[in-house]
Amino acid sequence: MSLLWTPFLPLAIVLSSLIPGLLIFTLREEQQRTRVALNLVGVVLKLLLVVVMLAGVAQGFTFRFQVPFLPGVPLILQGDALSLQFVSLSSLLWLATTIYAIGYFRGSPLQSRFFGYFSLCVSATVGLALAGNLVTFLLFYELLTLATFPLVVHKGTAAALDAGRRYLAYTMGGGTLTLMGVALLHSVAATPDFTAGGYLAPLLGEVDVSLTLAFALLIAGLGVKAALVPLHGWLPRAMVAPAPVSALLHAVAVVKAGAFGIIRVVYDVYGVETVAALELTRPLLYLAGFTIVYGSLMALRQRDIKKRLAFSTVSQVSYITLGVALLGPVAAVGALAHLVHQGLMKVTLFYCAGSFAETCGVHQVQEMDGLGRRMPLTMVAFTLAALGMIGIPPLAGFISKWYLGWGALAVDEPWVLVVLVVSGILNAAYFLPMIYRGWFAASKTGECARTEAPAMLLWPTLFTAALVVLVGVFAAFDLSPLAWAQLIVDREFGL
């Protein structure tokens, strides 16, 4: 592996979507082929670069790009095992969502604007994933807010604009809190690189109040995008956005950015021993447990399909925070695996919801009667992803929950098992009726003009649904998300 180009690999991964996105903004609406080509070239190039980096990180290589930014604080893009878990998910699902979005928006106006911001959103996501210090993370974290706002309001309706204002108010407020936390930490510890095990341990006993306040500010700021209760109010409203945007928000970009930021703060800024010594994660653990149950209860009340899925996200993403807050290596494996598993399951569900709406005009749960006979392949994908969310073995969700439950017992927190069981029952309570309606209820409406979703909507859906099965069935294999999560934990905990 050449040392001449290796340091620039993280930058190239960011630029592979940034440059096509900027070029797409210059295209006229009728330049469909050029727009598609730029999208696909960018995503294929990004995937190839990520595969190279994955191979290098697995062998112990370090990928680092650094330029001066603020006095004493460089801008750093760095490829490590943790960043690659998130970047791989983002890149793979960008490919699937790009194909889905091309089919979804065929014949629609303002495609250059949409796909331009779509690419900027992915660039910001991989940038924060590859960030090598808190200031770099903060920069891309705020860029993500600016890139996703136009996607939320893309339809331009009154409901979309209202959702956009709420989204901007929440995320800018969260960004302000994050900035305050980063500034406070910088004042007491400067801004070193992210370090496995954290870098704040030498300050214990000297500035404990500042460390505690900074942690609270960071978690509150990141908790907005991670949709922790009571900071989740923007997420259900944002469901007025087009289906590809919903898929991006829930599975790849915004909520995952918040959860990933919490992972970085706990493991690579503070470190497990420091947060344990300061007793910082106990409130976070309880908040994550409450959010899991609350999100599931609210999902049970929703009749709109996308809103039900939105509250499901509020619940499911908090599994990641729960696993991190348990501070044990087994629970950490479950949390890091769920970062990928939840993304695969949730993106599949939103693809299906978009296909139901676009193909058959189905938006409400009660309108799903007979969908399995009209759109059998899409309904199969929905069923697999929903069963995975419930935690049915051997699907992806079961693997995550198994490790979270095992990890809770390993650190003597058996009450977490109650949270997981209650959440699983509630998941079944709001997903199984949807599956039943789709396969077994008699249709109350006329037949669709089509018997299945268009190919460009269907194939990405089947692809991600297949991954929901494969990452569960082959969880023990070396290349699985679970195995990579174990690699991360071994390095973070020094095992």
Side-chain angles (χ1 to χ4, degrees):
M1 189 173 295
S2 172
L3 294 177
L4 292 176
W5 62 266
T6 296
F8 293 95
L9 191 56
L11 178 64
I13 289 175
V14 175
L15 294 179
S16 63
S17 50
L18 178 61
I19 293 174
L22 295 175
L23 292 175
I24 285 170
F25 280 121
T26 69
L27 299 179
R28 300 185 304 274
E29 287 301 305
E30 61 270 20
Q31 293 180 280
Q32 172 75 8
R33 291 185 179 179
T34 305
R35 187 165 50 243
V36 170
L38 284 171
N39 271 305
L40 294 181
V41 167
V43 70
V44 170
L45 177 59
K46 186 182 293 294
L47 276 171
L48 291 175
L49 294 173
V50 169
V51 168
V52 172
M53 188 179 282
L54 277 168
V57 170
Q59 297 173 30
F61 279 86
T62 297
F63 299 87
R64 179 186 174 90
F65 173 81
Q66 176 177 326
V67 293
F69 183 52
L70 297 175
V73 184
L75 189 152
I76 300 172
L77 296 174
Q78 183 169 298
D80 56 26
L82 178 53
S83 65
L84 265 284
Q85 184 88 331
F86 193 13
V87 170
S88 300
L89 173 71
S90 302
S91 301
L92 185 64
L93 294 190
W94 185 35
L95 170 62
T97 306
T98 296
I99 296 171
Y100 185 94
I102 291 170
Y104 185 92
F105 285 109
R106 179 168 289 173
S108 300
L110 303 176
Q111 290 193 46
S112 290
R113 186 183 76 180
F114 174 86
F115 283 104
Y117 282 112
F118 184 80
S119 295
L120 295 186
C121 174
V122 174
S123 300
T125 302
V126 297
L128 70 86
L130 292 168
N133 59 30
L134 268 178
V135 170
T136 307
F137 178 91
L138 178 66
L139 172 66
F140 284 103
Y141 192 72
E142 291 304 281
L143 289 176
L144 180 61
T145 295
L146 298 178
T148 48
F149 172 73
L151 300 177
V152 173
V153 301
H154 179 75
K155 291 183 178 179
T157 62
L161 294 174
D162 179 67
R165 285 190 291 269
R166 180 178 289 260
Y167 172 73
L168 205 58
Y170 271 84
T171 53
M172 293 299 286
T176 301
L177 293 173
T178 306
L179 171 61
M180 292 168 63
V182 172
L184 180 54
L185 277 186
H186 182 77
S187 71
V188 298
T191 303
D193 296 357
F194 289 136
T195 305
Y199 55 77
L200 295 177
L203 299 178
L204 281 174
E206 299 177 10
V207 287
D208 289 2
V209 173
S210 294
L211 294 180
T212 300
L213 178 57
F215 186 85
L217 289 169
L218 289 169
I219 296 301
L222 297 167
V224 172
K225 281 192 170 78
L228 289 171
V229 173
L231 307 172
H232 68 290
W234 63 272
L235 189 56
R237 292 288 188 93
M239 291 307 93
V240 299
V245 178
S246 299
L248 199 70
L249 293 176
H250 287 256
V252 183
V254 178
V255 293
K256 287 297 175 58
F260 183 79
I262 292 172
I263 293 170
R264 278 292 195 198
V265 167
V266 172
Y267 290 154
D268 294 341
V269 176
Y270 281 78
V272 171
E273 293 182 2
T274 302
V275 293
L278 294 172
E279 299 182 348
L280 297 176
T281 54
R282 177 64 56 179
L284 182 60
L285 182 61
Y286 291 148
L287 180 60
F290 178 79
T291 301
I292 288 170
V293 176
Y294 174 84
S296 297
L297 286 170
M298 291 300 295
L300 191 58
R301 297 176 55 187
Q302 308 305 311
R303 294 294 172 260
D304 181 88
I305 295 172
K306 288 179 68 177
K307 284 191 176 181
R308 180 169 289 194
L309 296 180
F311 277 107
S312 171
T313 297
V314 171
S315 173
Q316 291 282 335
V317 169
S318 285
Y319 281 98
I320 300 171
T321 304
L322 181 82
V324 171
L326 283 168
L327 298 183
V330 178
V333 171
L336 293 167
H338 200 62
L339 184 79
V340 176
H341 293 172
Q342 186 272 346
L344 296 174
M345 295 183 290
K346 188 48 61 79
V347 82
T348 303
L349 291 169
F350 272 108
Y351 288 165
C352 292
S355 296
F356 294 156
E358 291 300 304
T359 307
C360 289
V362 171
H363 300 272
Q364 302 291 317
V365 173
Q366 62 268 24
E367 297 171 347
M368 293 181 66
D369 294 355
L371 269 180
R373 291 186 292 277
R374 290 177 277 168
M375 303 175 65
L377 294 177
T378 303
M379 195 63 204
V380 165
F382 183 92
T383 301
L384 289 172
L387 293 177
M389 284 290 190
I390 295 169
I392 302 298
L395 302 175
F398 168 76
I399 304 298
S400 305
K401 293 183 180 183
W402 177 269
Y403 273 80
L404 289 171
W406 177 16
L409 293 178
V411 295
D412 197 26
E413 298 285 356
W415 65 271
V416 171
L417 287 180
V418 178
V419 172
L420 296 175
V421 170
V422 170
S423 176
I425 292 171
L426 291 172
N427 291 343
Y430 63 78
F431 274 127
L432 291 181
M434 300 172 79
I435 295 172
Y436 175 84
R437 283 180 176 273
W439 290 114
F440 302 109
S443 177
K444 298 176 184 177
T445 60
E447 293 295 312
C448 296
R450 297 180 62 94
T451 56
E452 190 49 88
M456 294 192 76
L457 302 185
L458 179 62
W459 289 112
T461 306
L462 296 180
F463 170 68
T464 55
L467 290 178
V468 170
V469 178
L470 293 175
V471 299
V473 172
F474 296 104
F477 280 55
D478 290 342
L479 297 179
S480 71
L482 181 70
W484 195 264
Q486 185 65 63
L487 172 66
I488 296 168
V489 170
D490 288 348
R491 295 180 180 181
E492 290 288 347
F493 285 79
L495 301 178

